[in-house]
């Protein structure tokens, strides 16, 4: 699930913000892109982690 | 009066029950001390003086009738301002919540403290919506570290840490999603416990990340910590994540001889990623508990990153309506963390949940051979307010998200952790050490903590500038 080296946080934020109803000025797009780049940086060890195929998700729903 | 205000909870209970003072006198002393010294640390965001006087009078009246007011009789305490307090607006460090109505009743943990005889004196500063490790709150001002007021008190329960270390109250309550009890414990040099996920009800506290949130107490000695932990217990059908467990009394264990517990130092991820003094403190604590072996949780780095992802996405979901309609009212640091989390792809979050399950199994295998694992709580001692980068392992890392590097993997899988303070570990500054146990084994942690206190390795006196 690694992200390719040419990932562009600015373009990603600009493209996905409307999906959640978020409208941003160009200045805010840049600020949010920096915040998203930090999320990606800290998340990298998880994104690069090779999981065993049988690893189930943790949440337990009790009806 | 200052001596009365700075006594430990257990000393206060003994003095009140022994009729050497009254709960009202203790409450007045605490209120006076807060008025006198809080300005130096900015720990309190509100003081509940009328309630404190009424609760203290009730304790005194109970004693006069020959009744037992409880194990925390007349002990002043304060709560992170995300706990519901009857008649108070629950701010959660925000200005958005200022518009909310005052709460009609106390949260579960506050009701427990009151039933035990505790006297609530106020509500405490925190990172907005608990999303941070530094309590650099621009709405209410930064919380300052009593050991050096130019430095952070940690977060997100920064006020809870600073109030105890400054001797404003002997006990506070806080919450911990990724380290928000253990980080302030470490930076302020006090005791704190994050119990097993599901042990204590969180009902009546503002949620941050439902699947990771915990509540717990801070104190300046292990006996007070144990007493508060016990007071916060009890079954609560209002918290759907609470597990049905029997009561977990720990106070009676504190005087038992320490032994029979298998202790190891966590290596790998937990032996890197921090400055030398935090590792020296963890090494010392492990050694004094007889832990000469080093064990690893091989996938801790992935677990920490996965916790970060779930936090970002779930925290964002919690606040998305306000983020879309009144973003300017958020703390700038919090706002962009939350908005970035709202854009995290579902695939990342789903993978993070699978890592959670995988890492839980990895830790369970380690606990087949060990009872207590020892690790640093923070990558450094308290840093200057406003600092953005931290030097670690010869490189620079972003400070604000990195203060959870050692705490996040552990709370991610819900393990109980007791933060033990080592004074003067980094020059004049303290650091904390995590004592980590298998799920539901808090009793082992309290036994280890009591031993460290007996040995004089760990202690939490009032910070020198406030003593």
């Amino acid at each position: 699930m690694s992200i390719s080296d040419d990932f562009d946080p600015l373009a990603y934020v600009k493209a996905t913000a409307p999906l959640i109803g978020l409208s941003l000025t160009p200045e805010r797009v840049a600020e949010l892109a920096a915040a998203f780049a930090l999320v990606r940086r800290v998340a990298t060890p998880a994104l690069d982690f090779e999981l065993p195929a049988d690893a189930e998700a943790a949440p337990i729903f009790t009806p | 009066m200052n001596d009365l205000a700075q006594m430990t909870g257990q000393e206060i209970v003994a003095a009140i029950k022994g009729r050497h003072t009254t709960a009202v006198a203790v409450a007045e002393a605490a209120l006076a001390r807060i008025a006198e010294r809080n300005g130096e640390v900015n720990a309190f965001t509100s003081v509940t003086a009328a309630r404190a006087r009424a609760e203290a009078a009730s304790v005194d009246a109970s004693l006069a009738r020959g009744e037992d007011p409880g194990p925390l009789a007349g002990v002043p305490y304060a709560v992170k301002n995300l706990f519901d307090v009857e008649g108070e607006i629950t701010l959660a460090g925000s200005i958005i919540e200022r518009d909310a109505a005052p709460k009609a009743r106390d949260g579960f943990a506050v009701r427990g403290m009151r039933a035990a005889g505790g006297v609530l004196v106020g509500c405490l500063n925190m990172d907005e919506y608990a999303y941070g490790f530094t309590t650099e709150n621009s709405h209410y001002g930064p919380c300052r570290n009593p050991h050096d007021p130019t430095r952070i008190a940690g977060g997100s329960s920064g006020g809870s840490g600073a109030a105890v270390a400054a001797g404003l109250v002997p006990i506070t309550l806080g919450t911990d999603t990724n380290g928000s009890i253990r980080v302030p414990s470490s930076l302020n040099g006090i005791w704190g416990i994050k119990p097993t996920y599901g042990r204590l009800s969180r009902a009546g506290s503002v949620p941050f990340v439902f699947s990771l949130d915990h509540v717990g107490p801070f104190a300046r000695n292990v006996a007070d910590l144990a007493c508060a932990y016990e007071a916060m217990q009890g079954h609560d059908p209002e918290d759907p994540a609470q597990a049905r467990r029997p009561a977990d009394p720990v106070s009676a264990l504190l005087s038992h001889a320490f032994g029979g517990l298998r202790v190891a130092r966590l290596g790998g991820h937990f032996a890197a990623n921090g400055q030398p003094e935090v590792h020296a403190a963890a090494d010392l604590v492990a050694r004094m508990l007889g832990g000469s072996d080093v064990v690893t949780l091989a996938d801790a780095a992935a677990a920490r990153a996965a916790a970060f992802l779930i936090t970002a996405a779930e925290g964002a979901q919690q606040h998305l309506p306000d983020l879309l309609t009144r973003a300017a009212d958020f703390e700038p640091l919090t706002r962009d963390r939350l908005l970035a989390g709202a854009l995290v792809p579902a695939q990342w979050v789903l993978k993070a949940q699978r890592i959670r399950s995988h890492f839980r199994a990895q830790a369970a295998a380690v606990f087949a051979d060990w009872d207590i694992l020892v690790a640093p709580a923070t990558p450094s001692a308290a840093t200057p307010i406003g600092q953005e980068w931290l030097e670690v392992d010869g490189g620079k890392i972003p400070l604000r998200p990195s203060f959870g590097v050692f705490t996040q993997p552990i709370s991610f899988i819900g393990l109980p952790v007791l933060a033990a303070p080592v004074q003067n570990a980094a020059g004049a500054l303290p650091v904390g050490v995590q004592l980590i146990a298998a799920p539901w084994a808090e009793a082992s942690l309290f036994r280890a903590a009591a031993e460290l206190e007996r040995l004089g390795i760990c202690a939490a006196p009032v910070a020198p500038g406030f003593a």
Side-chain angles (χ1 to χ4, degrees):
Chain A
M1 199 180 284
S2 294
I3 306 171
S4 62
D5 289 338
D6 59 358
F7 172 71
D8 179 354
L10 204 68
Y12 178 80
V13 167
K14 200 170 177 181
T16 56
L19 285 172
I20 59 168
L22 181 63
S23 62
L24 297 167
T25 63
E27 184 185 321
R28 287 291 298 132
V29 169
E31 289 172 354
L32 197 47
F36 191 85
L38 180 60
V39 169
R40 178 205 169 188
R41 171 180 170 159
V42 178
T44 297
L47 302 178
D48 289 348
F49 186 67
E50 292 188 20
L51 266 170
D54 61 352
E56 282 192 35
I60 296 170
F61 175 72
T62 305
Chain B
M1 286 301 265
N2 276 352
D3 285 343
L4 200 57
Q6 293 190 65
M7 288 160 65
T8 69
Q10 298 306 298
E11 289 168 345
I12 288 169
V13 170
I16 291 173
K17 290 188 175 178
R19 311 298 173 100
H20 303 298
T21 187
T22 65
V24 167
V26 171
E28 293 296 348
L31 293 169
R33 182 162 172 83
I34 293 164
E36 181 189 358
R37 303 301 301 266
N38 177 60
E40 297 167 60
V41 290
N42 194 30
F44 281 78
T45 50
S46 67
V47 175
T48 53
R51 172 172 172 151
R53 291 182 174 112
E55 287 184 338
S58 174
V59 167
D60 288 334
S62 175
L63 268 178
R65 292 192 299 269
E67 300 165 1
D68 181 358
L72 289 171
V75 176
Y77 74 100
V79 299
K80 187 176 185 176
N81 71 25
L82 56 59
F83 285 94
D84 289 349
V85 171
E86 182 182 346
E88 298 286 317
I89 295 170
T90 307
L91 294 172
S94 76
I95 58 170
I96 291 171
E97 303 302 325
R98 279 181 188 164
D99 299 341
K103 292 296 174 182
R105 68 167 180 159
D106 295 337
F108 185 87
V110 179
R111 297 202 299 276
M113 292 293 287
R114 183 174 193 164
V119 171
L120 181 71
V121 296
C123 305
L124 299 162
N125 204 353
M126 59 179 283
D127 284 292
E128 185 182 56
Y129 292 122
Y131 204 174
F133 289 125
T134 62
T135 313
E136 295 166 296
N137 187 312
S138 60
H139 304 314
Y140 301 98
C143 188
R144 298 179 179 277
N145 192 306
H147 292 269
D148 178 349
T150 68
R151 294 175 184 267
I152 60 170
S156 63
S157 311
S160 305
V164 169
L168 305 183
V169 280
I171 294 172
T172 56
L173 306 189
T175 57
D176 187 318
T177 302
N178 286 297
S180 289
I181 287 174
R182 293 161 287 162
V183 170
S185 293
S186 176
L187 303 193
N188 292 287
I190 60 173
W191 300 93
I193 183 165
K194 181 211 76 64
T196 308
Y197 180 78
R199 169 76 80 183
L200 301 178
S201 170
R202 307 157 308 170
S205 65
V206 174
F208 171 26
V209 179
F210 284 113
S211 61
L212 297 173
D213 288 342
H214 308 69
V215 299
F218 299 80
R220 287 197 305 274
N221 65 25
V222 179
D224 281 0
L225 192 76
C227 204
Y229 168 64
E230 290 166 345
M232 297 171 76
Q233 294 182 32
H235 175 60
D236 182 9
E238 294 181 26
D239 182 351
Q242 193 188 31
R244 294 300 297 263
R245 301 286 305 183
D248 187 37
V250 293
S251 290
L253 303 174
L254 302 184
S255 58
H256 291 192
F258 181 75
L261 294 175
R262 301 162 297 174
V263 178
R265 168 76 155 92
L266 271 177
H269 174 87
F270 298 94
N273 297 302
Q275 296 179 341
E277 50 267 28
V278 305
H279 293 304
D283 292 345
L284 171 68
V285 164
R287 194 165 62 246
M288 296 311 293
L289 292 175
S292 54
D293 290 85
V294 175
V295 299
T296 56
L297 292 168
D299 298 323
R304 183 257 172 156
F308 183 87
L309 271 176
I310 292 170
T311 298
E314 203 176 317
Q317 170 59 209
Q318 184 73 19
H319 297 289
L320 193 55
D322 283 332
L323 288 165
L324 295 178
T325 56
R326 49 188 304 188
D329 291 337
F330 280 82
E331 156 76 47
L333 290 171
T334 311
R335 179 191 60 201
D336 284 357
R337 281 176 203 145
L338 289 169
L339 280 172
L343 300 180
V344 167
Q347 286 302 310
W348 291 11
V349 180
L350 291 170
K351 184 175 183 186
Q353 289 290 5
R354 293 178 69 202
I355 293 173
R356 191 180 195 188
S357 174
H358 166 79
F359 190 59
R360 175 176 54 187
Q362 189 171 89
V366 169
F367 281 114
D369 297 320
W370 303 100
D371 298 301
I372 294 176
L373 304 177
V374 178
T378 49
S380 78
T383 49
I385 291 169
Q387 183 171 318
E388 299 198 10
W389 296 90
L390 190 64
E391 289 189 22
V392 165
D393 298 341
K396 286 172 103 177
I397 56 174
L399 182 148
R400 292 189 179 102
S402 299
F403 255 91
V405 67
F406 298 132
T407 52
Q408 278 181 287
I410 306 303
S411 40
F412 185 45
I413 51 173
L415 302 176
V417 190
L418 198 152
V422 177
Q423 301 299 325
N424 302 313
L429 298 174
V431 298
V433 173
Q434 294 187 94
L435 308 175
I436 306 159
W440 316 115
E442 284 89 341
S444 298
L445 300 179
F446 276 100
R447 287 179 57 201
E451 177 71 359
L452 291 167
E453 194 171 51
R454 269 193 296 273
L455 293 170
I457 302 301
C458 294
V462 172
F466 287 79

